[in-house]
Amino acid sequence: MPRSLWKGAISFGLITIPVKLYGATEEKDISFKQVHPADGGKIKYKRVCEKCGEEVPYAEIGKGYEAPDGRMAVLSKEDLDTLPLSSAKSVDVVQFVDEDEIDPTYFEKTYVVEAEGPGAKPYVLLRDALVKTGKSAVVKVALRSRESLALVRPSGKVLLMHTMLWPDEVRDNDFAAPDGDIKASDAEVAMAEMFITQMEGTFNPGDFSDSYREALDAVVQAKLSGVAVEEKAEQPSSGGGEVVDLVAALKASVEAAKAKRAAAAGQGTDDKDDEKKKAAS
């Protein structure tokens, strides 16, 4: 079981729900050390003050804000402790909304909310009420000395909390919009719809894997074992040239998708036949 990252309470009207938060995700990337290739020694860094040249222990490093004109405002622990974080140990519900009202761009990190002690009954009450109304709760919460907006929503038997960015932290993305004079023809859209139909399915996360991480792990294990790394065949380039005939390209894509789906269906049939043969034997 993971270690809880935060303890506090959800304020649901006059009801208080003691809770713990746990990270809902974990990164699986392979982490590297910076090393000297000649002998494999790890590279170490010293924290040195640019003014006096002295090495500063981590425990003595403070926080400073540098103004555009170069002035430095050094903040002490006391300065930070006096900041008015009313939600320091509470999750205050400020609004109930439909989940699809919120652009996923705002979502930052996901936490699992666990009821603590006497909070189990009101936890279930809030969870079931959200399910019944089809709503999610917009809340304010302070995590790691930073106040955030967040969304609390039901997921199966638990509540999840998604911390969110503030509006001024989300960039205006209109700059990336194609020129308004560019239009897709009805034939192109119809063929694109056909391709989408061929590729549609039910999302199952277990169907996907990180092929880059798997290949990287194989290289690392080969290096550790002193075995020569097996060279992989070079993948054909998808090409970056301009597609002149979009309809023809999409038609070819549809045919390829059909063939892929048929092959997958055939593989599924073969697997079932193998299972039947094993059962019969």
Side-chain angles (χ1 to χ4, degrees):
M1 182 175 178
R3 182 173 60 88
S4 66
L5 305 173
W6 185 91
K7 291 176 67 174
I10 296 178
S11 298
F12 173 38
L14 297 178
I15 298 172
T16 300
I17 312 172
V19 297
K20 295 180 181 179
L21 293 187
Y22 298 85
T25 60
E26 59 178 334
E27 293 187 0
K28 293 289 189 178
D29 284 346
I30 296 175
S31 61
F32 292 101
K33 301 288 186 183
Q34 290 188 323
V35 299
H36 183 200
D39 56 18
K42 289 187 287 186
I43 304 298
K44 293 185 177 181
Y45 291 90
K46 292 183 178 181
R47 299 176 179 88
V48 178
C49 175
E50 67 175 1
K51 285 191 175 181
C52 65
E54 292 184 8
E55 184 176 353
V56 182
Y58 182 78
E60 297 179 14
I61 294 177
K63 293 181 182 292
Y65 173 81
E66 185 175 11
D69 60 7
R71 288 176 300 158
M72 186 71 70
V74 179
L75 278 67
S76 66
K77 183 178 183 300
E78 290 72 24
D79 292 328
L80 298 172
D81 288 344
T82 58
L83 294 177
L85 273 182
S86 60
S87 54
K89 283 296 178 184
S90 66
V91 180
D92 299 322
V93 176
V94 296
Q95 195 177 29
F96 292 99
V97 300
D98 293 330
E99 187 183 335
D100 58 9
E101 288 182 38
I102 298 177
D103 187 327
T105 306
Y106 280 89
F107 293 142
E108 187 176 26
K109 188 171 177 59
T110 302
Y111 297 90
V112 177
V113 183
E114 179 190 39
E116 187 175 23
K121 182 67 180 287
Y123 180 102
V124 170
L125 170 63
L126 176 59
R127 181 197 67 194
D128 292 352
L130 291 175
V131 170
K132 198 131 191 175
T133 58
K135 300 291 184 182
S136 296
V138 176
V139 304
K140 290 181 76 174
V141 59
L143 297 173
R144 299 184 177 89
S145 301
R146 181 178 185 270
E147 189 173 56
S148 297
L149 275 178
L151 188 77
V152 174
R153 68 177 184 87
S155 177
K157 295 182 179 180
V158 302
L159 292 172
L160 296 180
M161 179 190 293
H162 306 278
T163 53
M164 297 163 57
L165 300 170
W166 294 101
D168 60 356
E169 294 178 312
V170 177
R171 290 175 175 158
D172 182 355
N173 56 22
D174 286 346
F175 71 90
D179 191 308
D181 294 334
I182 299 175
K183 304 291 183 184
S185 70
D186 292 343
E188 290 167 344
V189 173
M191 191 60 69
E193 289 176 351
M194 191 179 298
F195 177 64
I196 291 171
T197 300
Q198 286 297 322
M199 295 289 289
E200 69 183 5
T202 301
F203 176 65
N204 177 12
D207 292 341
F208 305 93
S209 62
D210 186 345
S211 55
Y212 176 81
R213 177 161 57 91
E214 291 170 355
L216 181 58
D217 182 60
V219 171
V220 170
Q221 296 305 321
K223 291 279 187 179
L224 292 174
S225 304
V227 179
V229 180
E230 181 181 348
E231 291 189 11
K232 299 290 184 181
E234 191 171 324
Q235 296 295 320
S237 173
S238 57
E242 182 181 356
V243 178
V244 178
D245 190 343
L246 290 175
V247 173
L250 283 168
K251 186 174 181 180
S253 299
V254 169
E255 295 303 320
K258 285 181 179 178
K260 187 175 181 180
R261 175 165 285 190
Q267 180 63 44
T269 303
D270 291 342
D271 291 342
K272 289 179 182 177
D273 290 342
D274 291 341
E275 290 175 7
K276 289 179 179 178
K277 289 177 181 177
K278 289 179 181 177
S281 61

